[in-house]
Amino acid sequence: GALGGEGSSAVLPILLAAGGGGGDLRCELVVEIDNTGRVAALNINQQYSRLAVMLTEWENHETLLGHRNSVILKRVLFEAFDAYVILFYLAVYERDIYSLRLELAGAFNVDTLRRVFTECIMPYVLRYFTKGKESAGTSKKDDDLKDDKKRGHLTSEAELEEYDTFDDYIEMLIQFGYVTLFASAYPLAALLAMGANFIEMRSDMWKLGHLCRRQIPVRANSLGMWKVCLKVIAWLAAGSNLYLFAFTSSQMRQWFPDYYVTDKLGNTMPKASALHEILLIVLILEHCAVITVMLVRNTIACTPETVRLGIMKNQWYHEDLASKARFRSVKRSSAEVASLSHIVQKSQQGRPSQLRQVSWPGSIGKQFD
């Protein structure tokens, strides 16, 4: 659903090497992206999801976590290709910064409204009409509806659809890619993402409360494969933004105007003689960005010092309480054993008359005649 806007079209050039005849055969594949294409892409996405699950079943992972991460990786690769292919085409091949900005703006605005409609409004309307038809059919077959009236809210919630976390995670992942991979082309994307996330958060809360079955909580120490995908996108963002900075937009021309020329149509192109210098500057900037990120990651701890000290204090407090409880238990057991030994010694000395009734410490009690 991210392949361009409605009614738009894109030309994808394919270079085919003609064997034996010499020369290249350049073909153009015209892809019309319309409503039919969106429905077809949605259908292909559903079929690929089933294929990804089937392939992962054949892999026969040892743990459920490995199985889930493998499915996520396969589906993320397909979703990322579907969402970013037209954007990279405009940025790398067409080098049209204005069309790229329009595509990004449409991705934020249209996708936000589309998600609210497809995830909240349409399922609620369909469930409302489906429930009405089922009630009408039940009343025709059986006039006695006492059993239906006795049904509680738990039964109604059990009939709801099961919540799938993948759709919500992939939306945030694709949006993160829009913001980071093309930040230099559309800096306003971060601000639009904040508004889109606010709407998405409210719509997901309503969806979880009215349309989906209640989830079973599962403990997890991290995002798993989603965290790996976010890191990969963040590292790729450095290269994509530097490419946009040097070749697609006119940002680098403002710093190095001697390296660029303007053709008759007003398009800015790098000089053929200055390509080596431009690539060298891009490489230096890329290394500076990577070094800065590594310094920040190694200098600033993931867990703040105050939080780390608080965790250590909490652990020490619980360990101290446990050690004191163990000490009291051992002391109590030692006292009981000592009392038992003393009484047994007295009983063995031939003075049973003194042991009419003995109350043992703790839960042990016996009577001696």
Side-chain angles (χ1 to χ4, degrees):
L3 297 178
E6 295 184 0
S8 62
S9 62
V11 180
L12 302 180
I14 301 177
L15 185 63
L16 303 177
D24 295 333
L25 176 63
R26 185 175 297 273
C27 301
E28 290 184 352
L29 175 64
V30 180
V31 180
E32 294 291 337
I33 303 170
D34 52 5
N35 293 330
T36 305
R38 290 177 182 271
V39 175
L42 181 61
N43 188 17
I44 294 174
N45 189 10
Q46 295 176 355
Q47 297 297 330
Y48 180 79
S49 300
R50 299 189 185 96
L51 179 62
V53 174
M54 184 179 65
L55 293 176
T56 308
E57 290 289 345
W58 290 352
E59 294 173 1
N60 193 17
H61 292 273
E62 295 182 358
T63 61
L64 180 61
L65 180 61
H67 175 87
R68 188 183 298 114
N69 289 336
S70 181
V71 174
I72 290 173
L73 180 61
K74 292 181 180 63
R75 295 186 63 183
V76 163
L77 291 176
F78 180 82
E79 295 283 350
F81 177 81
D82 179 33
Y84 301 142
V85 60
I86 187 64
L87 299 177
F88 277 107
Y89 167 75
L90 293 174
V92 177
Y93 184 80
E94 292 290 338
R95 295 181 184 177
D96 190 351
I97 193 68
Y98 301 104
S99 299
L100 180 59
R101 290 171 182 171
L102 290 177
E103 289 291 337
L104 288 171
F108 279 102
N109 300 329
V110 177
D111 281 358
T112 301
L113 299 178
R114 177 187 59 81
R115 290 197 296 264
V116 173
F117 179 77
T118 56
E119 295 179 3
C120 297
I121 299 176
M122 187 171 65
Y124 182 78
V125 173
L126 292 176
R127 188 167 68 90
Y128 177 79
F129 284 105
T130 304
K131 187 176 180 180
K133 291 180 180 180
E134 291 179 355
S135 301
T138 305
S139 61
K140 291 179 181 179
K141 294 180 180 180
D142 189 7
D143 296 334
D144 189 6
L145 300 179
K146 293 183 179 180
D147 295 337
D148 293 340
K149 293 181 180 179
K150 293 180 181 179
R151 294 170 56 184
H153 67 282
L154 294 180
T155 306
S156 301
E157 289 185 3
E159 295 177 354
L160 297 176
E161 295 182 359
E162 186 177 358
Y163 174 65
D164 187 10
T165 58
F166 179 83
D167 293 334
D168 291 335
Y169 272 112
I170 194 63
E171 289 171 1
M172 295 296 100
L173 182 71
I174 296 300
Q175 186 188 90
F176 179 74
Y178 288 152
V179 175
T180 56
L181 292 173
F182 309 98
S184 60
Y186 195 56
L188 191 61
L191 182 60
L192 293 179
M194 293 177 60
N197 288 339
F198 179 80
I199 299 174
E200 180 73 16
M201 179 178 62
R202 295 298 176 181
S203 63
D204 288 344
M205 289 171 59
W206 188 87
K207 178 180 67 175
L208 291 174
H210 295 82
L211 299 178
C212 296
R213 196 183 308 167
R214 193 171 302 179
Q215 276 288 96
I216 299 176
V218 179
R219 288 177 178 246
N221 57 358
S222 66
L223 293 177
M225 183 57 64
W226 296 106
K227 185 177 180 180
V228 176
C229 296
L230 290 172
K231 287 183 178 180
V232 171
I233 291 177
W235 284 108
L236 291 177
S240 63
N241 283 284
L242 286 173
Y243 184 89
L244 294 174
F245 171 75
F247 298 101
T248 304
S249 65
S250 59
Q251 299 174 3
M252 191 172 178
R253 182 185 178 183
Q254 299 177 0
W255 296 88
F256 305 97
D258 297 336
Y259 292 164
Y260 295 87
V261 294
T262 304
D263 57 7
K264 297 179 181 179
L265 299 178
N267 298 323
T268 302
M269 300 292 293
K271 293 181 180 179
S273 59
L275 286 177
H276 297 286
E277 289 80 359
I278 295 175
L279 291 175
L280 180 61
I281 293 173
V282 170
L283 187 63
I284 293 174
L285 293 176
E286 184 266 338
H287 277 68
C288 292
V290 171
I291 293 173
T292 303
V293 171
M294 297 301 295
L295 289 176
V296 171
R297 291 185 60 184
N298 295 328
T299 303
I300 302 176
C302 297
T303 304
E305 187 68 18
T306 55
V307 176
R308 190 178 63 84
L309 291 177
I311 293 174
M312 294 176 62
K313 289 179 181 179
N314 192 17
Q315 292 178 352
W316 177 86
Y317 176 73
H318 288 289
E319 290 177 358
D320 184 63
L321 289 180
S323 63
K324 289 181 179 179
R326 288 194 299 268
F327 177 76
R328 287 193 297 266
S329 178
V330 172
K331 186 177 181 180
R332 189 186 309 113
S333 301
S334 300
E336 292 177 359
V337 172
S339 300
L340 177 61
S341 301
H342 181 69
I343 293 173
V344 170
Q345 290 176 3
K346 285 185 178 181
S347 64
Q348 292 177 355
Q349 291 176 1
R351 292 180 294 178
S353 60
Q354 298 180 1
L355 304 176
R356 294 297 179 184
Q357 186 175 357
V358 179
S359 179
W360 292 84
S363 62
I364 305 175
K366 286 188 177 181
Q367 293 182 354
F368 293 88
D369 296 333

